[in-house]
Amino acid sequence: MSVENKVIVITGASSGIGEASAKLLASHGAKVVLGARRENRLADLVMEIKAHGGEAVYRVTDVTKPTDLIALVSLAKQTFGGIDVIFNNAGIMPTSPISALKTDEWAAMIEVNLNGVLNGVAAVMPDFIKQKHGQIITTSSVAGLKSFAGSGVYGATKFAVRNLMEVIRMESAQEHTNIRTTSLYPAAINTELLHTITDVNAKQGMNHLYESVGITPDAVARVVGFAVAQPDDVNVNEFTIYPTKQG
Ligand code: NDP
């Protein structure tokens, strides 16, 4: 089992779970293709990976734009001759109670967390079907497994991508396309995710939780590595990753 030489597209690679996964996978010989909006962060990360002997490229990518995902996948194929895995990881979490009616934030979450994943799926599907090989890993959340007050729309997007991954897996089995899917359900992971919260009470509560129990994103990166390293006939459907201290 190895991730060596696998070509892996990662969205949301400029910080947190995506960045940690890029570093870990590249350090084990994967060829990583990184997308996010902040170019300076991506450029620095590619430089760091290369300085450690890894292989990486980046392209500024907004996952809400289907053409950006197509271009990112094309970059993978042009640079490394193919694509084996897409890690749909970009996401935002501006949580708030529904009664606050932050409808712009609802729309933004649906655009990035759900449509962004669909755009990633659509960008890889033609190649995956043609080559009868491919893996789609998506970062859902524990908020995609159970409901939390304050996470109505965020949770809705994360429940939705969970369903999507499972349906792609089932249809692939029916259609004999050998596409594997994995959903990740992380709990409190210390990243920049809380920066997207504008609701003062929600932010305070989350800050308190993450400061008291949060763990580093390497925990999720190791799980991504495990899923990628499985042989082609093994699909690891789901991973839940909690800090040991989180109840
Ligand atoms: P970060 O905020 O550190 O990372 C989020 C990433 O998403 C950044 O790289 C950001 O890059 C990218 N992103 C946001 N919007 C877009 C966009 N429109 N197009 C492209 N990229 C975008 O947080 P995490 O690492 O924690 O988040 C990664 C995933 O993990 C998310 O899907 C999140 O919902 C999920 N998650 C996180 C948990 C946690 O506790 N941290 C728990 C459960 C799930 P840029 O701004 O440069 O575009």
Side-chain angles (χ1 to χ4, degrees):
M1 286 197 305
S2 166
V3 302
E4 204 173 356
N5 290 323
K6 294 249 174 137
V7 180
I8 306 175
V9 168
I10 304 176
T11 69
S14 58
S15 61
I17 292 169
E19 178 185 0
S21 301
K23 285 183 190 169
L24 186 77
L25 293 164
S27 74
H28 285 83
K31 298 167 180 180
V32 294
V33 181
L34 311 179
R37 293 164 306 172
R38 286 171 295 177
E39 180 160 21
N40 58 335
R41 300 282 287 261
L42 293 174
D44 287 351
L45 180 55
V46 165
M47 225 159 47
E48 189 184 333
I49 288 172
K50 286 183 170 169
H52 287 91
E55 291 187 74
V57 287
Y58 78 86
R59 187 180 192 284
V60 173
T61 304
D62 182 339
V63 295
T64 67
K65 297 183 180 153
T67 48
D68 278 15
L69 266 308
I70 290 167
L72 190 64
V73 170
S74 294
L75 176 66
K77 292 191 285 183
Q78 278 158 21
T79 314
F80 298 124
I83 173 168
D84 299 295
V85 183
I86 186 164
F87 180 22
N88 291 308
N89 168 71
I92 55 172
M93 190 184 70
T95 49
S96 59
I98 296 295
S99 56
L101 295 180
K102 289 184 179 271
T103 53
D104 288 350
E105 293 183 351
W106 299 355
M109 280 188 277
I110 292 165
E111 269 304 299
V112 178
N113 300 357
L114 175 53
N115 288 335
V117 172
L118 285 167
N119 291 336
V121 168
V124 294
M125 212 46 130
D127 287 305
F128 284 3
I129 290 170
K130 202 161 122 194
Q131 66 200 24
K132 290 199 188 303
H133 158 83
Q135 187 171 22
I136 304 172
I137 302 174
T138 295
T139 313
S140 174
S141 165
V142 288
L145 288 175
K146 58 183 182 180
S147 302
F148 294 90
S151 289
V153 179
Y154 180 72
T157 64
K158 296 302 188 178
F159 268 80
V161 295
R162 173 190 181 197
N163 180 66
L164 182 66
M165 287 304 104
E166 181 62 1
V167 168
I168 292 171
R169 188 191 68 76
M170 294 165 85
E171 291 180 354
S172 159
Q174 285 168 4
E175 294 164 4
H176 309 291
T177 45
N178 295 321
I179 298 168
R180 299 185 290 156
T181 66
T182 300
S183 288
L184 309 177
Y185 307 111
I189 311 293
N190 287 324
T191 65
E192 297 173 22
L193 193 66
L194 305 191
H195 298 184
T196 57
I197 306 176
T198 60
D199 183 89
V200 176
N201 291 331
K203 191 157 194 152
Q204 217 174 19
M206 288 285 191
N207 273 334
H208 178 70
L209 172 71
Y210 279 63
E211 277 164 17
S212 48
V213 303
I215 52 174
T216 61
D218 312 326
V220 184
R222 287 192 296 272
V223 160
V224 173
F226 181 85
V228 172
Q230 296 308 305
D232 263 359
D233 60 348
V234 176
N235 193 89
V236 187
N237 302 18
E238 303 187 316
F239 285 103
T240 305
I241 308 115
Y242 264 80
T244 307
K245 288 182 180 166
Q246 185 174 356

